[in-house]
Amino acid sequence: MQGKRGSAGTLRTAGFSLLVLLAVTLAVLRGVDAWQKAPVIAELHRPPAFAVPRDFDFGRYRLSWLGSGFEVHPVAQPDRVLWRVEGGFLAAGIGRGEGGAWERRELLCREQSLESFERQGTRLRLKGHVRCDDGHTAPYELVLEDDGTRGIALTVALEAPELNRLYLGWVRDPGEAVFGVDASGISRSLSGQRLVVAGRGGEEGAPGAFYLTSRLRGFHSLSAASQVLDLRDPRRVGLEVREGRLVAYFLIGDSPAELLGHRDAVERALPRRPAPD
């Protein structure tokens, strides 16, 4: 009898230890998952001279540098802001996988320097570096270009092939609602969600990441890589692109239909993809 009681006690102890180990493992996995999905926000460093506000015109548009951020708007309509940034707006990193349980961040580069603005006709180039957690740095170039009355074209390139994650962030106005689009037009609100989006053409010819807002602004990514739109913060939009470059548009219009028309016009102007065999 005593031996049986001892064996039962050992089994209970082993079972309890197993439950504790399982609970610890689940807690660790939750922590890892939370880190993988946490917003990546850049910390901006700029020369002392950049503390002074100044304007940079490129075609019909103007970037108004405010000392620690900027607004981009039509020259003739300063209240119609297409893109607003406060502090850091570009980060980078190295990741593996394409989403779900297999997606993992291996390195983040969250220190962003902004070192120069260069005007070239209807283009404005912003240059600087990103610094990674392991200490190495990589240059970047961000180009804004006048795209006529429909808005501005944006190109971002990291000059480091090993960096295959790009993180871009910008400001949402207080109370600004964000909406997705489906085949029938404007769909449900996207606010409060973190959405994994197929790259352009990735799913049944999908046009990539696109949304419009209650302030009649639109964003349209042309990246072929999968992306994540992070709209959990009511004051901020976060975009993760699973490659080290991005071509996108910030669109402006007087109605949702006009914004959709601008998106479609951008798509029509792109080279046609070859038909599948």
Side-chain angles (χ1 to χ4, degrees):
M1 292 291 293
Q2 190 173 11
K4 290 182 179 179
R5 285 197 297 269
S7 298
T10 301
L11 287 173
R12 283 196 297 271
T13 300
F16 177 75
S17 299
L18 184 60
L19 287 173
V20 170
L21 179 60
L22 180 60
V24 170
T25 301
L26 288 173
V28 170
L29 289 174
R30 288 193 191 101
V32 170
D33 185 63
W35 182 77
Q36 298 290 353
K37 295 179 180 178
V40 177
I41 301 175
E43 178 184 351
L44 184 66
H45 301 270
R46 78 285 190 273
F50 282 16
V52 179
R54 63 185 76 178
D55 291 334
F56 300 92
D57 291 356
F58 56 104
R60 300 170 179 83
Y61 296 91
R62 172 176 294 162
L63 184 149
S64 293
W65 174 252
L66 306 175
S68 60
F70 60 76
E71 297 178 348
V72 180
H73 54 82
V75 173
Q77 297 176 292
D79 294 334
R80 300 209 64 187
V81 176
L82 282 84
W83 189 27
R84 179 181 291 114
V85 164
E86 293 177 0
F89 54 92
L90 179 65
I94 297 175
R96 295 289 179 263
E98 285 299 318
W102 300 107
E103 167 65 17
R104 64 184 187 274
R105 295 171 180 171
E106 297 188 349
L107 179 69
L108 289 176
C109 314
R110 289 171 287 197
E111 291 186 41
Q112 177 197 0
S113 69
L114 179 58
E115 298 158 15
S116 69
F117 295 89
E118 299 176 8
R119 281 181 287 201
Q120 296 179 337
T122 60
R123 293 182 177 180
L124 179 65
R125 300 180 183 273
L126 284 63
K127 295 183 178 182
H129 289 76
V130 292
R131 179 181 294 275
C132 304
D133 293 342
D134 65 359
H136 90 270
T137 62
Y140 72 84
E141 181 178 74
L142 186 152
V143 181
L144 300 173
E145 184 172 6
D146 176 357
D147 192 53
T149 57
R150 64 189 178 194
I152 57 172
L154 166 76
T155 305
V156 187
L158 300 167
E159 297 180 28
E162 71 275 12
L163 297 180
N164 63 357
R165 294 292 185 269
L166 184 154
Y167 303 91
L168 198 66
W170 56 96
V171 174
R172 289 169 66 179
D173 287 350
E176 183 175 20
V178 179
F179 300 94
V181 174
D182 58 23
S184 62
I186 299 173
S187 66
R188 58 188 171 85
S189 170
L190 302 179
S191 295
Q193 300 184 56
R194 181 182 183 272
L195 304 165
V196 179
V197 183
R200 177 177 171 269
E203 290 183 1
E204 298 180 357
F210 175 80
Y211 72 74
L212 55 86
T213 84
S214 56
R215 295 287 192 269
L216 295 178
R217 291 187 283 236
F219 173 77
H220 183 33
S221 167
L222 302 185
S223 176
S226 63
Q227 296 148 86
V228 177
L229 268 175
D230 192 340
L231 300 164
R232 293 174 292 180
D233 188 335
R235 301 164 299 175
R236 182 181 179 275
V237 175
L239 177 72
E240 174 184 345
V241 183
R242 289 167 176 168
E243 64 178 349
R245 57 192 176 88
L246 171 68
V247 178
Y249 285 79
F250 285 98
L251 304 170
I252 191 170
D254 293 323
S255 69
E258 186 174 8
L259 289 171
L260 288 171
H262 290 338
R263 181 202 65 175
D264 293 344
V266 168
E267 286 289 320
R268 286 195 298 270
L270 294 171
R272 287 184 174 272
R273 294 186 292 274
D277 295 333

